[in-house]
PDB file of all heavy atoms in Angstrom:
ATOM      1  N   PHE A  30     116.819  74.957 113.982  1.00  0.00           N
ATOM      2  CA  PHE A  30     116.260  76.104 113.280  1.00  0.00           C
ATOM      3  C   PHE A  30     116.610  77.392 114.025  1.00  0.00           C
ATOM      4  O   PHE A  30     117.065  78.366 113.441  1.00  0.00           O
ATOM      5  CB  PHE A  30     114.733  75.934 113.188  1.00  0.00           C
ATOM      6  CG  PHE A  30     114.052  76.931 112.306  1.00  0.00           C
ATOM      7  CD1 PHE A  30     113.852  76.682 110.954  1.00  0.00           C
ATOM      8  CD2 PHE A  30     113.594  78.141 112.826  1.00  0.00           C
ATOM      9  CE1 PHE A  30     113.218  77.610 110.139  1.00  0.00           C
ATOM     10  CE2 PHE A  30     112.964  79.073 112.020  1.00  0.00           C
ATOM     11  CZ  PHE A  30     112.776  78.808 110.678  1.00  0.00           C
ATOM     12  N   ARG A  31     116.420  77.355 115.331  1.00  0.00           N
ATOM     13  CA  ARG A  31     116.673  78.533 116.150  1.00  0.00           C
ATOM     14  C   ARG A  31     118.152  78.925 116.157  1.00  0.00           C
ATOM     15  O   ARG A  31     118.504  80.090 116.058  1.00  0.00           O
ATOM     16  CB  ARG A  31     116.243  78.216 117.576  1.00  0.00           C
ATOM     17  CG  ARG A  31     115.408  79.266 118.197  1.00  0.00           C
ATOM     18  CD  ARG A  31     115.123  78.908 119.615  1.00  0.00           C
ATOM     19  NE  ARG A  31     113.873  78.189 119.770  1.00  0.00           N
ATOM     20  CZ  ARG A  31     113.566  77.453 120.822  1.00  0.00           C
ATOM     21  NH1 ARG A  31     114.415  77.271 121.794  1.00  0.00           N
ATOM     22  NH2 ARG A  31     112.400  76.882 120.904  1.00  0.00           N
ATOM     23  N   SER A  32     119.005  77.914 116.269  1.00  0.00           N
ATOM     24  CA  SER A  32     120.432  78.265 116.343  1.00  0.00           C
ATOM     25  C   SER A  32     120.938  78.771 114.990  1.00  0.00           C
ATOM     26  O   SER A  32     121.763  79.675 114.926  1.00  0.00           O
ATOM     27  CB  SER A  32     121.279  77.116 116.901  1.00  0.00           C
ATOM     28  OG  SER A  32     121.246  76.034 116.031  1.00  0.00           O
ATOM     29  N   LEU A  33     120.382  78.222 113.900  1.00  0.00           N
ATOM     30  CA  LEU A  33     120.788  78.713 112.572  1.00  0.00           C
ATOM     31  C   LEU A  33     120.295  80.149 112.369  1.00  0.00           C
ATOM     32  O   LEU A  33     121.013  80.997 111.823  1.00  0.00           O
ATOM     33  CB  LEU A  33     120.215  77.811 111.476  1.00  0.00           C
ATOM     34  CG  LEU A  33     120.895  76.454 111.328  1.00  0.00           C
ATOM     35  CD1 LEU A  33     120.018  75.498 110.526  1.00  0.00           C
ATOM     36  CD2 LEU A  33     122.266  76.602 110.661  1.00  0.00           C
ATOM     37  N   LEU A  34     119.084  80.413 112.827  1.00  0.00           N
ATOM     38  CA  LEU A  34     118.540  81.766 112.683  1.00  0.00           C
ATOM     39  C   LEU A  34     119.401  82.783 113.436  1.00  0.00           C
ATOM     40  O   LEU A  34     119.675  83.876 112.945  1.00  0.00           O
ATOM     41  CB  LEU A  34     117.089  81.805 113.208  1.00  0.00           C
ATOM     42  CG  LEU A  34     116.365  83.140 113.066  1.00  0.00           C
ATOM     43  CD1 LEU A  34     116.326  83.607 111.610  1.00  0.00           C
ATOM     44  CD2 LEU A  34     114.946  83.044 113.613  1.00  0.00           C
ATOM     45  N   ARG A  35     119.843  82.385 114.589  1.00  0.00           N
ATOM     46  CA  ARG A  35     120.701  83.255 115.397  1.00  0.00           C
ATOM     47  C   ARG A  35     122.026  83.532 114.673  1.00  0.00           C
ATOM     48  O   ARG A  35     122.501  84.665 114.626  1.00  0.00           O
ATOM     49  CB  ARG A  35     120.964  82.506 116.702  1.00  0.00           C
ATOM     50  CG  ARG A  35     121.550  83.307 117.794  1.00  0.00           C
ATOM     51  CD  ARG A  35     121.914  82.322 118.896  1.00  0.00           C
ATOM     52  NE  ARG A  35     121.984  82.953 120.166  1.00  0.00           N
ATOM     53  CZ  ARG A  35     120.997  82.954 121.053  1.00  0.00           C
ATOM     54  NH1 ARG A  35     119.858  82.351 120.790  1.00  0.00           N
ATOM     55  NH2 ARG A  35     121.164  83.560 122.196  1.00  0.00           N
ATOM     56  N   GLU A  36     122.581  82.469 114.086  1.00  0.00           N
ATOM     57  CA  GLU A  36     123.853  82.640 113.358  1.00  0.00           C
ATOM     58  C   GLU A  36     123.657  83.540 112.138  1.00  0.00           C
ATOM     59  O   GLU A  36     124.473  84.420 111.856  1.00  0.00           O
ATOM     60  CB  GLU A  36     124.389  81.276 112.908  1.00  0.00           C
ATOM     61  CG  GLU A  36     124.903  80.425 114.060  1.00  0.00           C
ATOM     62  CD  GLU A  36     125.176  78.990 113.644  1.00  0.00           C
ATOM     63  OE1 GLU A  36     125.370  78.729 112.443  1.00  0.00           O
ATOM     64  OE2 GLU A  36     125.195  78.117 114.529  1.00  0.00           O
ATOM     65  N   ILE A  37     122.563  83.313 111.411  1.00  0.00           N
ATOM     66  CA  ILE A  37     122.307  84.153 110.236  1.00  0.00           C
ATOM     67  C   ILE A  37     122.056  85.596 110.671  1.00  0.00           C
ATOM     68  O   ILE A  37     122.475  86.544 110.000  1.00  0.00           O
ATOM     69  CB  ILE A  37     121.118  83.607 109.404  1.00  0.00           C
ATOM     70  CG1 ILE A  37     121.495  82.277 108.757  1.00  0.00           C
ATOM     71  CG2 ILE A  37     120.711  84.601 108.330  1.00  0.00           C
ATOM     72  CD1 ILE A  37     120.431  81.678 107.854  1.00  0.00           C
ATOM     73  N   ALA A  38     121.381  85.771 111.809  1.00  0.00           N
ATOM     74  CA  ALA A  38     121.132  87.135 112.311  1.00  0.00           C
ATOM     75  C   ALA A  38     122.452  87.864 112.539  1.00  0.00           C
ATOM     76  O   ALA A  38     122.576  89.052 112.235  1.00  0.00           O
ATOM     77  CB  ALA A  38     120.313  87.086 113.594  1.00  0.00           C
ATOM     78  N   HIS A  39     123.449  87.155 113.054  1.00  0.00           N
ATOM     79  CA  HIS A  39     124.767  87.781 113.244  1.00  0.00           C
ATOM     80  C   HIS A  39     125.326  88.252 111.903  1.00  0.00           C
ATOM     81  O   HIS A  39     125.812  89.376 111.771  1.00  0.00           O
ATOM     82  CB  HIS A  39     125.755  86.785 113.856  1.00  0.00           C
ATOM     83  CG  HIS A  39     125.453  86.434 115.282  1.00  0.00           C
ATOM     84  ND1 HIS A  39     125.995  85.336 115.913  1.00  0.00           N
ATOM     85  CD2 HIS A  39     124.666  87.023 116.195  1.00  0.00           C
ATOM     86  CE1 HIS A  39     125.541  85.291 117.158  1.00  0.00           C
ATOM     87  NE2 HIS A  39     124.747  86.293 117.350  1.00  0.00           N
ATOM     88  N   LEU A  40     125.237  87.364 110.909  1.00  0.00           N
ATOM     89  CA  LEU A  40     125.830  87.688 109.607  1.00  0.00           C
ATOM     90  C   LEU A  40     125.061  88.834 108.929  1.00  0.00           C
ATOM     91  O   LEU A  40     125.669  89.720 108.309  1.00  0.00           O
ATOM     92  CB  LEU A  40     125.835  86.443 108.712  1.00  0.00           C
ATOM     93  CG  LEU A  40     126.690  85.291 109.258  1.00  0.00           C
ATOM     94  CD1 LEU A  40     126.375  83.988 108.536  1.00  0.00           C
ATOM     95  CD2 LEU A  40     128.172  85.615 109.135  1.00  0.00           C
ATOM     96  N   LEU A  41     123.748  88.826 109.058  1.00  0.00           N
ATOM     97  CA  LEU A  41     122.953  89.902 108.446  1.00  0.00           C
ATOM     98  C   LEU A  41     123.230  91.231 109.146  1.00  0.00           C
ATOM     99  O   LEU A  41     123.306  92.280 108.505  1.00  0.00           O
ATOM    100  CB  LEU A  41     121.456  89.575 108.521  1.00  0.00           C
ATOM    101  CG  LEU A  41     120.974  88.386 107.683  1.00  0.00           C
ATOM    102  CD1 LEU A  41     119.498  88.093 107.962  1.00  0.00           C
ATOM    103  CD2 LEU A  41     121.168  88.644 106.187  1.00  0.00           C
ATOM    104  N   THR A  42     123.387  91.173 110.453  1.00  0.00           N
ATOM    105  CA  THR A  42     123.660  92.405 111.214  1.00  0.00           C
ATOM    106  C   THR A  42     124.999  92.996 110.786  1.00  0.00           C
ATOM    107  O   THR A  42     125.152  94.212 110.636  1.00  0.00           O
ATOM    108  CB  THR A  42     123.668  92.105 112.726  1.00  0.00           C
ATOM    109  OG1 THR A  42     122.439  91.484 113.059  1.00  0.00           O
ATOM    110  CG2 THR A  42     123.819  93.376 113.545  1.00  0.00           C
ATOM    111  N   TYR A  43     125.956  92.120 110.580  1.00  0.00           N
ATOM    112  CA  TYR A  43     127.275  92.542 110.117  1.00  0.00           C
ATOM    113  C   TYR A  43     127.151  93.343 108.827  1.00  0.00           C
ATOM    114  O   TYR A  43     127.757  94.401 108.658  1.00  0.00           O
ATOM    115  CB  TYR A  43     128.109  91.267 109.927  1.00  0.00           C
ATOM    116  CG  TYR A  43     129.469  91.435 109.336  1.00  0.00           C
ATOM    117  CD1 TYR A  43     130.537  91.861 110.119  1.00  0.00           C
ATOM    118  CD2 TYR A  43     129.692  91.127 107.998  1.00  0.00           C
ATOM    119  CE1 TYR A  43     131.796  91.988 109.563  1.00  0.00           C
ATOM    120  CE2 TYR A  43     130.950  91.246 107.446  1.00  0.00           C
ATOM    121  CZ  TYR A  43     131.990  91.678 108.233  1.00  0.00           C
ATOM    122  OH  TYR A  43     133.236  91.809 107.676  1.00  0.00           O
ATOM    123  N   GLU A  44     126.304  92.850 107.906  1.00  0.00           N
ATOM    124  CA  GLU A  44     126.146  93.519 106.611  1.00  0.00           C
ATOM    125  C   GLU A  44     125.323  94.804 106.724  1.00  0.00           C
ATOM    126  O   GLU A  44     125.659  95.816 106.129  1.00  0.00           O
ATOM    127  CB  GLU A  44     125.465  92.580 105.607  1.00  0.00           C
ATOM    128  CG  GLU A  44     126.379  91.506 105.069  1.00  0.00           C
ATOM    129  CD  GLU A  44     127.547  92.072 104.258  1.00  0.00           C
ATOM    130  OE1 GLU A  44     127.434  93.181 103.712  1.00  0.00           O
ATOM    131  OE2 GLU A  44     128.579  91.405 104.199  1.00  0.00           O
ATOM    132  N   ILE A  45     124.251  94.746 107.497  1.00  0.00           N
ATOM    133  CA  ILE A  45     123.321  95.895 107.507  1.00  0.00           C
ATOM    134  C   ILE A  45     123.879  97.077 108.300  1.00  0.00           C
ATOM    135  O   ILE A  45     123.381  98.193 108.188  1.00  0.00           O
ATOM    136  CB  ILE A  45     121.926  95.457 108.016  1.00  0.00           C
ATOM    137  CG1 ILE A  45     120.839  96.383 107.477  1.00  0.00           C
ATOM    138  CG2 ILE A  45     121.873  95.353 109.517  1.00  0.00           C
ATOM    139  CD1 ILE A  45     119.426  95.911 107.722  1.00  0.00           C
ATOM    140  N   THR A  46     124.910  96.824 109.083  1.00  0.00           N
ATOM    141  CA  THR A  46     125.497  97.917 109.879  1.00  0.00           C
ATOM    142  C   THR A  46     126.784  98.467 109.256  1.00  0.00           C
ATOM    143  O   THR A  46     127.510  99.218 109.900  1.00  0.00           O
ATOM    144  CB  THR A  46     125.810  97.436 111.316  1.00  0.00           C
ATOM    145  OG1 THR A  46     126.615  96.254 111.229  1.00  0.00           O
ATOM    146  CG2 THR A  46     124.566  97.127 112.101  1.00  0.00           C
TER     147      THR A  46
END
Side-chain angles (χ1 to χ4, degrees):
F30 189 90
R31 228 184 267 161
S32 65
L33 286 163
L34 183 57
R35 193 188 203 97
E36 289 169 22
I37 292 183
H39 290 164
L40 297 165
L41 293 174
T42 305
Y43 175 80
E44 284 296 335
I45 205 170
T46 53

